[in-house]
């Protein structure tokens, strides 16, 4: 399947990141694989049963992040399923981060791949960087790094990047973040 939004999304992500690079203290560079794995697991546990719950998701308790990736790309490995640890026989989700991407906002991007359903309501495979992925990515960036959801929507709309989702939890949480931002801006205007 063609990934029609990938280049648009990467461009828009750079704009979002540049806007928040200096003012988002929650975005950090990981010191080691263990720290990155803990953050990935934190995202997984927070959202795995809320977004598109499936029976097998309750069986996968952890995320393993590795820094062994060569080249400049990072991957959410085999996001259709999970991996089994040979020693402990525990299941885990697997992310590989390149040496250029060992930070929280890239990990959030890769974890969004694990959280997006692989098939839509019609049984068709979803696009890797499709509109469901973009909306979940925006939700995660706003939730974990305090990115302004209104600003992200504005930039996405300017670049014709589609974001939409049928999941009621995602839409409810997304709307709550929008209302929170509207209230914050109103409070700022009232105090000025």
């Amino acid at each position: 399947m063609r990934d029609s939004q990938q280049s648009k999304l990467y461009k828009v992500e750079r704009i979002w990141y540049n806007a928040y690079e200096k003012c988002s203290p929650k975005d950090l560079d990981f010191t080691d694989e263990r720290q990155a794995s803990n953050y990935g697991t934190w995202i997984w546990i927070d959202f795995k049963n809320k977004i598109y719950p499936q029976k097998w998701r309750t069986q996968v308790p952890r995320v393993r992040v590795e820094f062994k990736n060569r080249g400049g790309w990072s991957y959410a490995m085999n996001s259709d399923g999970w991996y089994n640890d040979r020693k402990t026989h525990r299941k885990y989700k697997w992310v590989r981060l390149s040496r250029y991407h060992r930070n929280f906002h890239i990990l959030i991007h890769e974890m969004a791949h694990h959280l997006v359903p692989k098939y839509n309501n019609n049984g068709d495979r979803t696009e890797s960087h499709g509109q469901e992925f973009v909306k979940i990515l925006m939700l995660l960036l706003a939730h974990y790094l305090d990115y302004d959801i209104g600003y992200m929507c504005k930039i996405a709309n300017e670049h014709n990047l589609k974001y939409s989702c049928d999941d009621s939890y995602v839409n409810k949480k997304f709307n709550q973040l929008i209302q929170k931002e509207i209230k914050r801006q109103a409070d700022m205007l009232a105090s000025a």
Side-chain angles (χ1 to χ4, degrees):
M1 173 182 274
R2 187 169 170 264
D3 197 359
S4 63
Q5 294 206 126
Q6 183 176 13
S7 60
K8 278 192 264 186
L9 174 64
Y10 288 171
K11 182 178 182 178
V12 167
E13 274 187 298
R14 281 191 297 276
I15 295 169
W16 293 340
Y17 175 68
N18 289 333
Y20 289 97
E21 180 179 18
K22 292 178 177 59
C23 64
S24 182
K26 294 180 180 181
D27 194 4
L28 60 112
D29 293 328
F30 298 120
T31 55
D32 58 22
E33 291 177 350
R34 183 177 181 173
Q35 182 188 30
S37 295
N38 287 341
Y39 274 80
T41 300
W42 175 37
I43 294 168
W44 181 245
I45 288 171
D46 265 0
F47 284 95
K48 71 176 179 173
N49 290 327
K50 295 174 186 169
I51 300 174
Y52 309 101
Q54 297 173 4
K55 183 180 176 184
W56 60 263
R57 290 182 186 243
T58 60
Q59 301 170 4
V60 184
R62 292 202 48 82
V63 173
R64 178 180 292 172
V65 177
E66 291 183 354
F67 290 171
K68 297 175 184 170
N69 199 29
R70 293 187 179 125
W73 295 98
S74 295
Y75 301 94
M77 303 296 290
N78 187 21
S79 54
D80 279 346
W82 60 82
Y83 287 86
N84 288 310
D85 188 295
R86 291 181 186 157
K87 293 177 186 172
T88 64
H89 302 290
R90 289 185 179 165
K91 296 174 175 92
Y92 61 90
K93 286 298 203 174
W94 188 13
V95 172
R96 281 193 162 173
L97 297 179
S98 81
R99 63 181 168 182
Y100 308 109
H101 296 154
R102 295 177 183 166
N103 49 48
F104 197 21
H105 73 273
I106 297 295
L107 179 62
I108 287 172
H109 176 107
E110 299 308 331
M111 289 307 300
H113 281 296
H114 284 307
L115 291 168
V116 172
K118 300 305 155 225
Y119 300 95
N120 63 20
N121 293 339
N122 300 333
D124 299 325
R125 189 156 178 85
T126 57
E127 218 176 313
S128 267
H129 295 92
Q131 45 193 349
E132 296 91 354
F133 172 83
V134 175
K135 190 157 188 180
I136 289 173
L137 175 63
M138 292 167 74
L139 172 66
L140 295 176
L141 288 170
H143 182 79
Y144 288 107
L145 297 181
D146 296 329
Y147 282 25
D148 179 344
I149 200 104
Y151 174 76
M152 286 193 292
C153 291
K154 177 182 173 270
I155 298 299
N157 290 336
E158 286 173 3
H159 290 85
N160 198 26
L161 181 67
K162 296 177 182 157
Y163 55 95
S164 139
C165 188
D166 292 335
D167 186 74
S168 59
Y169 173 79
V170 171
N171 290 326
K172 177 182 169 192
K173 187 76 171 158
F174 200 85
N175 290 335
Q176 285 174 348
L177 288 168
I178 288 172
Q179 294 305 316
K180 179 181 172 184
E181 190 58 34
I182 290 170
K183 184 179 182 316
R184 186 187 67 80
Q185 289 177 0
D187 291 345
M188 284 175 53
L189 285 173
S191 67

